[in-house]
Amino acid sequence: MRNIQLVIEYDGSRYDGWQKQIGNPKSVTIQDKIEEVLSRMENEKIEVCGAARTEAGVHAYRQIANFHTNTDLKVYEIKHYLNRFLPRDIAVLEALEVPERFHASFNAKSFVYEYKISTGEVPSVFDRKYNYYCFKRLDIGKMQKAAKYFVGNHDFKALSDNKRMKKSTTRTIYDIDIYGDNKETVITVKGDDFWPHMVRILVGTLMEVGLGNSEPSDMEEIIQSKNRDLAGPTAEAKGLFLVDVLYE
């Protein structure tokens, strides 16, 4: 049986996230759409594994997935078939054959996310689906100072909406880059793993600093407290993009 890796780009605006939701027949996910097309391709049941379980409304420039198949089609034919029958808000950028034991999620070493914030005087009608609009200009310098407290290996329980989370909340954030101008601020976060809403809570916490509602030094207390109530609000999903999944 062959193992095929896909590199996928998608606009998550109208989807209930990446992962199919068993027991919720009304949900529509990216995984659902790709599995439907692949299963029709060779009339075989296909299950697709994605590297990152992006949430409802979150987009991806480069999601990685893999699936096993008995098809004799060449990888470029698989790619063309998918792009022919998938909705136009999902695109397969690459398809390649990989070793049988490759697993898009288990083999991933780190993930890169990007959050876009519009700060112009008037919200752009063209960016409204992909940028969070902030009415006030953000202090990027203060946000950069605050971000340094999150870099490293920490217990990030304060950035979890799930109070009953049983898995370890210790993660490693390798880098946070914040840059921008009068019209847009971009926050890029690279880490070994992220649970649902983690990046969005991190962004919301940094925005509180940028708006002057908290100080960079407050971040240390937030992390040590492990208290979600001390962190900032969860930023809207539409501004978040999965940029890349790294395997080495």
Side-chain angles (χ1 to χ4, degrees):
M1 184 167 282
R2 301 166 67 195
N3 191 9
I4 307 298
Q5 176 184 306
L6 302 175
V7 180
I8 307 161
E9 179 180 77
Y10 52 83
D11 175 347
S13 300
R14 69 185 185 99
Y15 295 99
D16 297 310
W18 162 267
Q19 189 176 21
K20 60 184 176 183
Q21 300 177 15
I22 298 174
N24 184 4
K26 294 184 179 180
S27 69
V28 180
T29 70
I30 310 295
Q31 184 182 7
D32 286 327
K33 291 296 184 182
I34 295 173
E35 288 184 351
E36 287 173 9
V37 175
L38 285 173
S39 296
R40 289 201 309 267
M41 184 177 70
E42 290 288 288
N43 195 27
E44 60 177 336
K45 178 67 174 177
I46 296 291
E47 292 187 6
V48 177
C49 171
R53 298 177 180 179
T54 56
E55 306 138 30
V58 175
H59 319 291
Y61 288 121
R62 192 177 173 85
Q63 166 76 285
I64 306 298
N66 75 288
F67 65 95
H68 290 87
T69 178
N70 292 309
T71 184
D72 293 326
L73 291 175
K74 295 180 174 60
V75 287
Y76 74 84
E77 292 176 317
I78 296 173
K79 173 185 171 181
H80 290 169
Y81 186 91
L82 282 163
N83 286 325
R84 179 181 177 186
F85 292 105
L86 281 169
R88 295 284 74 87
D89 49 8
I90 304 174
V92 175
L93 305 181
E94 298 177 40
L96 61 155
E97 193 155 357
V98 290
E100 184 179 352
R101 296 179 64 86
F102 173 81
H103 191 284
S105 178
F106 295 159
N107 294 137
K109 300 300 183 184
S110 60
F111 302 82
V112 181
Y113 284 90
E114 181 179 272
Y115 197 89
K116 298 181 180 181
I117 306 165
S118 292
T119 52
E121 182 180 353
V122 179
S124 168
V125 297
F126 300 109
D127 293 339
R128 71 189 188 283
K129 289 174 59 179
Y130 310 108
N131 286 41
Y132 171 77
Y133 180 73
C134 183
F135 289 90
K136 296 182 180 179
R137 184 176 178 182
L138 298 170
D139 188 327
I140 294 177
K142 279 192 172 183
M143 293 172 68
Q144 291 170 335
K145 291 178 181 178
K148 292 179 181 179
Y149 287 92
F150 292 103
V151 175
N153 183 261
H154 303 288
D155 185 339
F156 288 108
K157 190 173 183 179
L159 304 185
S160 173
D161 275 335
N162 185 358
K163 295 182 179 180
R164 297 182 180 181
M165 190 168 177
K166 296 180 179 180
K167 295 182 179 179
S168 171
T169 48
T170 298
R171 296 289 187 274
T172 301
I173 292 181
Y174 300 117
D175 184 53
I176 302 177
D177 187 24
I178 305 174
Y179 60 93
D181 52 29
N182 292 335
K183 293 185 178 181
E184 185 179 65
T185 300
V186 179
I187 302 173
T188 303
V189 184
K190 178 182 179 181
D192 63 346
D193 195 14
F194 301 97
W195 54 78
H197 300 171
M198 180 177 171
V199 177
R200 291 163 57 194
I201 297 171
L202 173 60
V203 169
T205 304
L206 292 174
M207 284 182 62
E208 286 294 287
V209 176
L211 292 168
N213 297 329
S214 57
E215 294 297 322
S217 58
D218 294 338
M219 304 303 103
E220 185 172 13
E221 179 185 356
I222 290 172
I223 295 171
Q224 292 179 353
S225 74
K226 303 178 185 178
N227 185 348
R228 171 67 184 92
D229 294 335
L230 296 185
T234 304
E236 291 184 20
K238 65 181 180 180
L240 185 61
F241 292 76
L242 173 63
V243 174
D244 205 358
V245 182
L246 306 174
Y247 289 90
E248 294 181 359

